Amino acid sequence: MNDTTVDELPLGPESALIATRTMIPLEPVAPADVVSGAPQAGAQSITELGGTEIGIWEITPGVVTDTEVEEVFVVLSGTATVEFLDTGAVLALVPGSLARLPEGARTRWTVTSTLRKVYLSRSE
């Protein structure tokens, strides 16, 4: 299998990429969202399927807050916890975790090792 790079996206029919090796440009997280550390994050849209965006997202260690979009994701690598600030629920994320985030949920992500996930979310 050939390794697809960001330049070869979007992913089309009869193609594949290695999601753990796809380059994701990272930028500092907005200061207003950083609770601690100096995390960087980035996302790369891979393809769209029936109104659903599929992409790869990565974040380096630190603690950040976010307001979520409706999303399902699978963790490829790294570890983190996601605390839902409105309900107090906490998800422990490790490689292989499959999780769902509701639209509008306010969250606190505590990333302990660089986390990479493949996500599916509604295209707007």
Side-chain angles (χ1 to χ4, degrees), residues 29-43:
V29 173
D33 296 333
V34 175
V35 176
S36 67
Q40 295 189 338

Side-chain angles (χ1 to χ4, degrees), residues 56-108:
I56 300 170
W57 182 78
E58 184 170 293
I59 186 168
T60 63
V63 181
V64 300
T65 59
D66 197 12
T67 300
E68 302 300 337
V69 298
E70 184 77 21
E71 177 183 318
V72 172
F73 65 86
V74 177
V75 175
L76 299 175
S77 60
T79 56
T81 59
V82 179
E83 178 184 359
F84 293 85
L85 300 177
D86 296 326
T87 66
V90 177
L91 304 178
L93 303 176
V94 298
S97 294
L98 175 64
R100 182 172 178 179
L101 303 174
E103 184 170 3
R106 295 180 324 114
T107 56
R108 179 181 301 121

